[in-house]
Amino acid sequence: MSTEPAKRFHRLEWIALFYIGMSAILLASGLIFSLNLLNEANDQIRENQQQIIKALNNTEHLISNHIPLMTSLNELTVQVHILKTDLDTISLDYSLGNEGFLKIVENLERLALELELLIPDSSPARDPLLEAILTLADIADEASVEVVINNLRQLHQDSLDPITEANKKINEIKSQLGQQYIDILYSVSNDNIEIQKQLKLQENIYRQPIFLLSVLIILLLLMPLLLVTLLFYETSKRIKLLEHYADGIALEKFYSPPFDSKDRTGSLARTLGALSSRVKELLETTRIQAREAKYQAHHDYLTSLPNRRNFVERLIQDIHHQVTAEKPCCLFFIDLDQFKDINDTLGHDAGDELIQIIGKRLLHALSPKDFIARLGGDEFAAIICCQERDVTNISVRLLKQIRQPFELKEQTIEITASIGVTRILPNSSSKVLLKQADIALYAAKQSGRNKYQLFEADLEEGINRRVALIGDLRRALEKEQFELYLQPKVDIVDGSIVGVETLIRWAHPEKGLVSPFEFIPLAESCGLILPIGEWVLREACVIANDFHQRGYQLMVAINCSGQQLTNKRFVERFTSIIKDEEFPLDMLELEVTESELMESMEESTEKLLALRELGIKVAIDDFGTGYSSLRYLKDLPVNTIKIDRSFVISAEANSYDAAIIQAIVSLGSNLNLDVIAEGVETQSQLKLVHDLGVRHVQGYIYAKPMPLSEFDLMLNETKAQQNNWRADVLIAEAV
């Protein structure tokens, strides 16, 4: 709508408002004028009504006086007739008495009194009528007398003329009264007609202004209706324009409002214009957010690589394309080795930075046709179109790219990865392929990390066996299928048993004894190592208490895994179990491998110190295989060092290993630590470690790990003399 129609509409609104105001004023004036006319008409009608009532009252008075008068005259006529008849009868029959004439006299006198009251004094008929009545009364009275003297005939003759004359006067009076009655009725009728004429005239007088007022009211009502119709038409046009404008906004057609005015529709148009601008901004923002949300839903926030959801969608597409594809594709499942150590030592920020670096390296190592994604954590996956013979070259290239050193937190870091590979075959399932790649990855990690493995069917069988074994392991814990084996620690000098190491064994109901090297890592991977460790501690306490009660002062050692040592409630649970079993704490020794101790040095040291304060001894197992043993040994709460068997086995042929053993013995002596050599199996090894200064040994030369019953027999058979003799023999041979 242009500016001119908007102005016209605005003027029309003001005209309508002005006319409505004037109409209201005229209508109020007309109503006041009409009310005044109606009041005057009501007063005039009220006056006419009073006149009519007065005339009716006069007429009623005349009629009320005239009717009794006529009744009395009629009765008088009857009495005259009776009198004449009686006189006629008496003149023929003298046997009649005078009672009838006396009654006539009474009636005539009564009528005379009534007529005297009814007839006004001013009436000209009053005296003649009363005179005639008195004449008749006299005749009747004389007749009553003449009956007695029998002179009725003369009376009859004499009274005919007076009676006739009286009757004539009475009829004249009756005729006059009848004419008066007719005149009264005629006069009343004329008065009524005159009043009706006056009323009609009065009605005509007031009808014309009422008609004009009605016409004025109709016009006053029609004009606003016309204006309202025009306003409605103009408003409808505007509303249609606004609807079209709103529809355009809904269809994302943004332009200026169709009109602008100061009325309400103009305000609404401006509001819609502002809404249009806001909607445009919101749509642009929403599109940007939608693109960002779509990108975030399909990409990893840390590396900007496609995420798991995006990867699975792409994998499903490639599975379908393999039906017609010329070149096969393979799924590479990549997982960083020991990534947890980076988070634990350098923090999660460093871990995130490492993930970003690895993501860039993998993306750089692949071609644009390949598809690389981060599945989560330290896991990556890639879809690479290649032949099976090319898997080795691709995997080696990826592993080499990942292993390159890089700077992180001002430190030079080197990390490796393991890769599982599976072929993408037509009609495969994405879940199955991911599972196969995961199985291959697990096999690569099991084989030593920094390796790759192509999926084969026997790998899945191994995983299935592993899953089944985990289920058996859970049931073994519930049904107490575990058993503790004991291996003694012997003093070379006198052959006495100075301690014992408890080693767990699993008596599987179908497979027999399962090696701890098989089920301990499995228990650690599935979270069962903690309850198994608590079971070992309880059983070891029971065995140690039994030794103590029988008089054997043996140090009982139990092995502790890294997961137990890093558990937040380890110390609390450990001490709680010992208190429940009422075991002397100074007879218990906790063995921790050097490698596991180094993985979480600070946390492990804190927990071992807490146990040391309770009196529990600590031994480092497999000492010498770690990288930082000597550096941290002075800070660790250690009582015993156990030399790893690898040094004992190779010491005879390798002078360096022998020197290491001698250095460890010297270190232990200087730090006041007990030193035990593990894995001594031959007499020559025993002589060697003895010559190097080791006094306590543990190995097959004395005993393999055995059940408790066999160990009890060994304790009973071992005598102090025999131990001394064996020591002498060994010393003599050494000399």
Side-chain angles (χ1 to χ4, degrees):
M1 182 179 288
S2 61
T3 306
E4 184 60 30
K7 292 182 178 179
R8 186 176 65 251
F9 182 78
H10 192 58
R11 287 197 298 269
L12 187 60
E13 284 184 329
W14 279 108
I15 292 172
L17 292 174
F18 175 75
Y19 189 80
I20 290 172
M22 292 300 296
S23 299
I25 294 172
L26 291 175
L27 184 60
S29 301
L31 290 175
I32 294 171
F33 177 70
S34 299
L35 290 174
N36 291 331
L37 289 177
L38 291 175
N39 289 331
E40 292 179 3
N42 287 331
D43 294 339
Q44 188 66 36
I45 291 170
R46 194 178 295 111
E47 184 178 351
N48 292 335
Q49 287 178 347
Q50 291 177 357
Q51 292 178 359
I52 292 171
I53 292 170
K54 184 176 180 180
L56 290 175
N57 289 333
N58 293 332
T59 304
E60 183 180 1
H61 178 70
L62 291 174
I63 293 174
S64 61
N65 291 333
H66 186 73
I67 291 174
L69 180 59
M70 291 295 294
T71 302
S72 299
L73 289 174
N74 289 332
E75 187 178 355
L76 179 60
T77 304
V78 172
Q79 293 298 327
V80 171
H81 179 71
I82 292 172
L83 177 60
K84 185 176 180 301
T85 303
D86 290 344
L87 288 175
D88 290 339
T89 303
I90 291 174
S91 63
L92 298 175
D93 186 5
Y94 297 103
S95 61
L96 294 174
N98 62 345
E99 293 180 0
F101 291 105
L102 292 175
K103 186 174 182 181
I104 292 172
V105 173
E106 293 177 0
N107 291 334
L108 289 173
E109 291 176 352
R110 177 178 58 79
L111 289 172
L113 293 174
E114 291 178 359
L115 291 174
E116 188 176 2
L117 295 174
L118 291 173
I119 297 174
D121 295 337
S122 59
S123 175
R126 175 182 177 86
D127 293 335
L129 182 59
L130 293 177
E131 184 179 353
I133 292 172
L134 293 175
T135 301
L136 292 173
D138 291 338
I139 292 173
D141 186 54
E142 289 180 3
S144 62
V145 175
E146 291 298 331
V147 168
V148 179
I149 62 175
N150 293 321
N151 193 15
L152 290 173
R153 289 185 181 87
Q154 187 61 41
L155 179 61
H156 178 265
Q157 290 296 327
D158 293 336
S159 61
L160 287 176
D161 292 335
I163 290 173
T164 301
E165 186 64 26
N167 191 26
K168 183 178 178 181
K169 289 181 179 181
I170 291 171
N171 288 332
E172 288 177 357
I173 292 172
K174 286 175 62 178
S175 179
Q176 292 176 1
L177 290 175
Q179 186 63 38
Q180 290 180 0
Y181 182 72
I182 292 172
D183 292 341
I184 291 171
L185 293 178
Y186 181 75
S187 175
V188 170
S189 177
N190 289 337
D191 292 341
N192 188 25
I193 292 171
E194 185 64 26
I195 291 172
Q196 292 294 332
K197 287 181 180 181
Q198 291 180 1
L199 289 174
K200 185 170 290 187
L201 181 60
Q202 191 71 28
E203 182 180 357
N204 292 332
I205 292 172
Y206 294 110
R207 182 177 296 172
Q208 185 175 3
I210 291 175
F211 174 75
L212 294 176
L213 181 62
S214 300
V215 172
L216 178 62
I217 291 173
I218 292 172
L219 291 176
L220 291 174
L221 293 176
L222 285 177
M223 288 301 294
L225 181 62
L226 179 61
L227 290 173
V228 168
T229 303
L230 291 174
L231 288 173
F232 178 77
Y233 173 73
E234 292 290 339
T235 305
S236 298
K237 286 173 60 179
R238 287 186 162 211
I239 291 174
K240 287 182 179 179
L241 287 174
L242 292 177
E243 288 177 350
H244 181 71
Y245 184 54
D247 293 338
I249 295 174
L251 296 175
E252 301 183 19
K253 297 179 181 179
F254 303 104
Y255 51 88
S256 300
F259 53 84
D260 186 13
S261 60
K262 296 182 180 180
D263 53 17
R264 291 184 178 180
T265 52
S267 176
L268 181 58
R270 289 192 297 273
T271 302
L272 284 176
L275 178 63
S276 174
S277 300
R278 183 58 178 162
V279 169
K280 184 178 180 180
E281 294 175 1
L282 290 176
L283 285 175
E284 292 176 356
T285 304
T286 302
R287 289 192 182 99
I288 294 173
Q289 292 177 350
R291 286 194 297 268
E292 292 178 354
K294 184 178 180 181
Y295 181 84
Q296 292 175 1
H298 289 81
H299 290 78
D300 176 54
Y301 74 97
L302 192 60
T303 62
S304 297
L305 293 174
N307 58 10
R308 176 180 288 272
R309 176 181 177 183
N310 196 347
F311 181 80
V312 172
E313 292 176 357
R314 175 62 181 269
L315 180 59
I316 293 173
Q317 294 177 5
D318 288 345
I319 291 172
H320 294 306
H321 291 161
Q322 286 299 300
V323 178
T324 58
E326 297 179 357
K327 194 173 184 179
C329 293
C330 293
L331 169 60
F332 288 72
F333 206 167
I334 307 165
D335 185 82
L336 301 182
D337 296 331
Q338 296 178 330
F339 175 72
K340 183 176 180 295
D341 295 343
I342 301 296
N343 282 333
D344 292 341
T345 56
L346 300 180
H348 289 279
D349 292 340
D352 292 342
E353 186 178 349
L354 171 61
I355 291 296
Q356 292 175 343
I357 294 172
I358 297 300
K360 292 177 181 179
R361 288 184 176 183
L362 291 174
L363 189 62
H364 179 71
L366 300 176
S367 66
K369 295 181 180 180
D370 300 328
F371 190 80
I372 180 72
R374 183 194 177 203
L375 302 187
D378 59 339
E379 294 180 349
F380 295 86
I383 299 175
I384 303 174
C385 292
C386 62
Q387 299 292 340
E388 187 174 339
R389 62 177 178 270
D390 299 326
V391 169
T392 299
N393 293 332
I394 295 172
S395 299
V396 171
R397 186 173 75 248
L398 293 175
L399 292 175
K400 183 178 179 181
Q401 188 73 19
I402 294 172
R403 193 170 183 176
Q404 291 181 7
F406 55 89
E407 294 294 326
L408 189 65
K409 294 279 185 173
E410 299 180 355
Q411 297 185 31
T412 301
I413 303 297
E414 183 178 316
I415 193 168
T416 61
S418 300
I419 301 177
V421 187
T422 186
R423 307 168 191 85
I424 300 177
L425 301 176
N427 301 322
S428 299
S429 168
S430 60
K431 293 182 179 179
V432 172
L433 291 176
L434 289 172
K435 180 182 178 182
Q436 292 176 353
D438 191 36
I439 292 172
L441 175 66
Y442 178 78
K445 285 186 176 292
Q446 290 294 104
S447 63
R449 299 187 176 91
N450 194 30
K451 298 182 183 299
Y452 75 94
Q453 176 67 52
L454 184 64
F455 174 79
E456 300 294 344
D458 56 348
L459 293 177
E460 188 171 10
E461 293 177 1
I463 293 296
N464 292 335
R465 287 195 301 271
R466 179 173 178 270
V467 173
L469 194 61
I470 290 175
D472 293 342
L473 192 60
R474 295 182 187 278
R475 287 187 290 272
L477 187 61
E478 296 173 358
K479 297 181 180 180
E480 297 185 354
Q481 295 175 359
F482 297 111
E483 183 180 355
L484 284 186
Y485 275 42
L486 308 177
Q487 187 177 27
K489 299 176 183 179
V490 181
D491 188 334
I492 297 177
V493 177
D494 59 7
S496 64
I497 298 175
V498 295
V500 61
E501 180 181 359
T502 58
L503 301 167
I504 188 171
R505 295 293 183 268
W506 179 13
H508 195 282
E510 297 177 357
K511 300 177 181 180
L513 283 178
V514 181
S515 171
F517 295 103
E518 183 177 359
F519 73 82
I520 290 297
L522 196 63
E524 290 178 342
S525 65
C526 66
L528 290 175
I529 192 64
L530 297 178
I532 290 176
E534 292 182 0
W535 180 87
V536 170
L537 179 59
R538 291 184 186 277
E539 291 297 315
C541 289
V542 173
I543 293 172
N545 275 329
D546 180 61
F547 289 155
H548 186 69
Q549 291 173 3
R550 288 190 290 164
Y552 295 107
Q553 300 297 319
L554 298 178
M555 182 70 66
V556 178
I558 62 171
N559 291 282
C560 178
S561 72
Q563 287 191 15
Q564 288 177 278
L565 199 58
T566 55
N567 186 268
K568 294 181 179 180
R569 298 186 60 194
F570 172 70
V571 176
E572 178 185 349
R573 294 292 301 158
F574 196 92
T575 54
S576 175
I577 292 172
I578 293 175
K579 290 179 181 179
D580 291 343
E581 300 297 334
E582 298 180 354
F583 181 73
L585 299 179
D586 58 345
M587 299 302 295
L588 183 64
E589 187 175 57
L590 191 66
E591 291 190 7
V592 184
T593 63
E594 184 182 7
S595 59
E596 290 177 340
L597 193 60
M598 292 300 105
E599 286 184 0
S600 54
M601 188 67 185
E602 294 182 3
E603 187 177 3
S604 300
T605 302
E606 182 181 351
K607 290 183 171 62
L608 292 177
L609 283 172
L611 295 176
R612 176 75 176 271
E613 291 177 358
L614 296 174
I616 299 172
K617 293 180 173 57
V618 178
I620 297 180
D621 199 6
D622 301 336
F623 187 79
T625 59
Y627 297 100
S628 305
S629 303
L630 297 177
R631 178 182 175 186
Y632 291 105
L633 189 60
K634 62 183 179 65
D635 299 324
L636 292 172
V638 178
N639 302 97
T640 304
I641 299 174
K642 298 182 73 175
I643 302 172
D644 187 68
R645 65 187 303 270
S646 62
F647 295 107
V648 175
I649 293 172
S650 60
E652 290 180 293
N654 191 332
S655 60
Y656 291 103
D657 289 337
I660 291 174
I661 293 175
Q662 191 171 14
I664 293 174
V665 172
S666 177
L667 179 67
S669 176
N670 291 329
L671 296 177
N672 196 25
L673 301 176
D674 187 17
V675 179
I676 299 176
E678 291 184 297
V680 179
E681 299 179 356
T682 64
Q683 288 292 339
S684 59
Q685 292 174 356
L686 182 63
K687 184 178 181 301
L688 176 63
V689 296
H690 180 268
D691 292 342
L692 294 174
V694 177
R695 181 170 181 175
H696 296 154
V697 297
Q698 183 179 356
Y700 286 2
I701 189 171
Y702 287 107
K704 296 180 179 180
M706 64 188 74
L708 178 60
S709 58
E710 295 181 12
F711 186 78
D712 285 340
L713 292 175
M714 183 178 178
L715 282 177
N716 294 330
E717 292 175 357
T718 303
K719 303 297 182 181
Q721 297 82 0
Q722 294 175 345
N723 290 335
N724 291 333
W725 173 81
R726 181 175 295 178
D728 293 338
V729 171
L730 292 174
I731 293 172
E733 291 179 354
V735 173

